[in-house]
């Protein structure tokens, strides 16, 4: 029976890892559809290479920093419990690699290729696992202090704060240090619209992410005996709430409609195992509205050129999700309980602080040493031609 259980757990978490791996193709197509045609190839290449660099960073440094586990023993040792620790690493790696995938959308179209790969390594090796260890592995006694002081630990079942808020707030300094794309804002204060290059590809990316998210959330149980149908239905309700509110608030704009379910799903991650489905619907709905309002403000009023709106989508909706778990997870609002408001608020604030400081250090160092941004001529030509020497749809074949 023990062998059957360990084998089932390995299969369970492996399927979750595969579903979250598939979400990275969603990141790729969401970015491809949102950026201009001259940067589509770059969007695809970045997501795949960032994932590969993240794997090395997390395997050799990050996972050990977060959990104190390394894989430098013999393969025979690694086979223990059907290789459960290896598949757990794979699952959590797909979470860690989401951080640079999130950042990629914010800095699209004007970031240099290799400096961003260097930033990916540093973030996934050091900054992300530093907070991951605090939140999910009792590092530095922060969770114990919260438990003693407020009666409950910080609760983040599937990463509203640990993954999404961290990713969004890490992206913000990178976006600000890079500056806006050339021609995006004029000296007279006008905003030049850069509409999505392909709504079908944008929609495809959103759908892939949405479907994969049910692995992201449900499989966060990590062992099959802890699987919960409540997590699945709460994810569904938050997705629906985010979609419908974004549709109304965004006046049926397809970009908002397809980011709405993502906003809802970002927000529900933390408390998806605690909330009542009606609470999840509200949490997702608030997130959908929050994304539309804050995306519009950042782009048009504050003139922050966050191309995919990753700071509002992941940073703000993730922070809302962390705090919302402390509200809608309570028994008074139909939740399971076992969660308190102050630990949620304090740890969300800590995540934002670590993300901002770490990102500013990484991107500030890279900007001052090797530079972060394509020059004006390269950006005008497009990241595809400047970096990869080919466009997504070449006009003609080469004649020799």
């Amino acid at each position: 029976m023990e062998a059957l259980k360990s084998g089932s757990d390995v299969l369970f978490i492996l399927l979750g890892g595969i579903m979250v791996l598939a979400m990275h193709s969603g990141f790729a197509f969401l970015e491809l559809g949102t950026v201009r045609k001259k940067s589509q190839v770059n969007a695809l290449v970045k997501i795949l290479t960032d994932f590969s660099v993240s794997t090395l960073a997390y395997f050799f440094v990050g996972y050990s920093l977060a959990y104190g586990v390394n894989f430098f023993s013999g393969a025979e040792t690694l086979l223990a419990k059907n290789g459960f620790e290896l598949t757990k690493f794979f699952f959590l790696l797909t979470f860690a690699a989401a951080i640079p995938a999130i950042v990629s959308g914010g800095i699209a179209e004007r970031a240099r290729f290799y400096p961003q790969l260097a930033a990916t390594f540093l973030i996934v090796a050091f900054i992300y696992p530093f907070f991951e260890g605090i939140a999910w592995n009792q590092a530095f006694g922060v969770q114990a202090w919260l438990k003693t002081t407020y009666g409950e630990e910080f609760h983040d079942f599937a990463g509203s704060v640990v993954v999404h808020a961290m990713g969004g707030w890490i992206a913000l300094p990178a976006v600000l240090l890079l500056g806006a794309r050339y021609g995006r804002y004029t000296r007279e204060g006008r905003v030049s619209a850069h509409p999505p290059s392909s709504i079908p590809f944008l929609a495809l990316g959103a759908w892939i992410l949405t479907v994969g998210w049910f692995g992201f959330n449900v499989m966060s149980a990590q062992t099959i005996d802890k699987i919960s149908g409540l997590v699945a239905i709460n994810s569904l309700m938050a997705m629906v709430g985010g979609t419908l509110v974004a549709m109304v608030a965004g006046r049926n704009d397809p970009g908002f409609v397809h980011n709405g379910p993502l906003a809802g799903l970002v927000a529900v991650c933390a408390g998806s195992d605690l909330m009542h489905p009606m609470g999840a619907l509200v949490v997702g709905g608030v997130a959908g509205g929050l994304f539309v309002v804050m995306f519009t403000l950042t782009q048009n009023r504050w003139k922050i050129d966050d191309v995919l709106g990753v700071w509002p989508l992941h940073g703000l909706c993730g922070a809302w999700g962390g705090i919302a778990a402390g509200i809608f997870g309570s028994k008074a609002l139909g939740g399971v309980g076992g969660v308190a408001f102050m630990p949620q608020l304090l740890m969300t604030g800590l995540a934002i602080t670590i993300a901002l400081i770490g990102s500013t250090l990484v991107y500030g160092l890279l900007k001052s040493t090797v530079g972060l941004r394509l020059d004006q001529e390269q950006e005008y030509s497009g990241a595809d031609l400047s970096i990869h020497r080919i466009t997504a749809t070449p006009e003609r074949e080469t004649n020799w």
Side-chain angles (χ1 to χ4, degrees), residues 36 110 175-176 179-194 294-307 373 379:
R36 290 171 291 181
R110 74 272 202 204
V175 170
L176 294 174
R181 289 168 288 179
Y182 289 112
R184 182 76 170 102
Y185 305 111
T186 68
R187 291 179 180 175
E188 295 78 26
R190 294 195 299 269
V191 179
S192 171
H194 289 350
M294 295 307 297
F295 179 86
T296 306
L297 275 176
T298 53
Q299 298 285 332
N300 297 339
R301 183 175 298 181
W302 299 336
K303 295 181 172 55
I304 298 172
D305 194 14
D306 177 357
V307 181
R373 167 162 200 159
E379 188 177 329

Side-chain angles (χ1 to χ4, degrees), residues 17-250:
I18 292 167
M19 289 182 74
V20 185
L21 175 61
M23 289 176 71
H24 286 264
S25 66
F27 281 120
F29 280 97
L30 187 72
E31 184 173 335
L32 182 155
T34 306
V35 299
R36 290 171 291 181
K37 286 186 177 180
K38 60 185 180 181
S39 297
Q40 289 181 326
V41 172
N42 184 241
L44 295 172
V45 174
K46 274 193 303 178
I47 299 300
L48 183 57
T49 51
D50 273 339
F51 186 90
S52 301
V53 170
S54 297
T55 301
L56 296 180
Y58 203 58
F59 184 86
F60 288 106
V61 184
Y63 191 73
S64 181
L65 181 62
Y67 298 102
V69 175
N70 65 64
F71 303 110
F72 302 129
S73 52
E76 188 176 350
T77 305
L78 300 178
L79 271 172
K81 294 192 293 185
N82 297 78
F84 177 77
E85 280 296 334
L86 292 171
T87 47
K88 181 182 176 183
F89 158 79
F90 174 46
F91 181 69
L92 291 171
L93 160 69
T94 58
F95 280 50
I99 302 293
I102 290 167
V103 174
S104 175
I107 63 174
E109 300 207 62
R110 74 272 202 204
R112 292 177 62 203
F113 187 66
Y114 290 108
Q116 172 53 22
L117 286 183
T120 291
F121 187 91
L122 294 171
I123 288 165
V124 178
F126 300 105
I127 297 170
Y128 169 75
F130 178 73
F131 183 74
E132 182 186 18
I134 293 172
W136 284 345
N137 196 42
Q138 303 288 328
F140 304 110
V142 176
Q143 288 280 41
W145 177 79
L146 290 171
K147 175 80 171 176
T148 302
T149 308
Y150 299 105
E152 299 292 347
E153 294 182 352
F154 168 69
H155 183 88
D156 189 356
F157 182 71
S160 285
V161 176
V162 177
V163 179
H164 297 287
M166 283 290 287
W169 287 91
I170 284 171
L172 182 61
V175 170
L176 294 174
L177 285 166
L178 267 174
R181 289 168 288 179
Y182 289 112
R184 182 76 170 102
Y185 305 111
T186 68
R187 291 179 180 175
E188 295 78 26
R190 294 195 299 269
V191 179
S192 171
H194 289 350
S197 59
S198 173
I199 295 296
F201 276 137
L202 185 159
L204 174 64
W207 268 109
I208 293 170
L209 284 164
T210 299
V211 173
W213 223 298
F214 286 83
F216 192 100
N217 283 359
V218 174
M219 269 74 164
S220 285
Q222 297 192 17
T223 54
I224 201 162
D225 59 303
K226 295 188 178 79
I227 191 170
S228 168
L230 181 65
V231 174
I233 298 306
N234 282 344
S235 300
L236 175 70
M237 297 301 279
M239 165 204 157
V240 168
T243 303
L244 295 177
V245 173
M247 178 193 71
V248 174

Side-chain angles (χ1 to χ4, degrees), residues 6 8 12 15-16 43 60 75 92 96 139 175 178 280 307 358 368 382 394 396:
S6 65
S8 300
F12 176 68
L15 291 173
F60 288 106
L92 291 171
V175 170
L178 267 174
V307 181
S368 62
R396 61 180 183 271

Side-chain angles (χ1 to χ4, degrees), residues 275-320:
M275 297 177 190
H276 188 279
M278 287 189 287
L281 181 66
V282 173
V283 169
V286 170
L290 180 65
F291 172 70
V292 173
V293 170
M294 295 307 297
F295 179 86
T296 306
L297 275 176
T298 53
Q299 298 285 332
N300 297 339
R301 183 175 298 181
W302 299 336
K303 295 181 172 55
I304 298 172
D305 194 14
D306 177 357
V307 181
L308 267 68
V310 298
W311 177 64
L313 181 65
H314 298 275
L316 295 181
C317 292
W320 157 241

Side-chain angles (χ1 to χ4, degrees), residues 370-389:
V370 297
L372 288 175
R373 167 162 200 159
L374 297 172
D375 63 39
Q376 192 165 355
E377 184 176 342
Q378 289 173 321
E379 188 177 329
Y380 179 79
S381 299
D384 292 356
L385 282 175
S386 299
I387 297 171
H388 309 289
R389 307 289 190 268

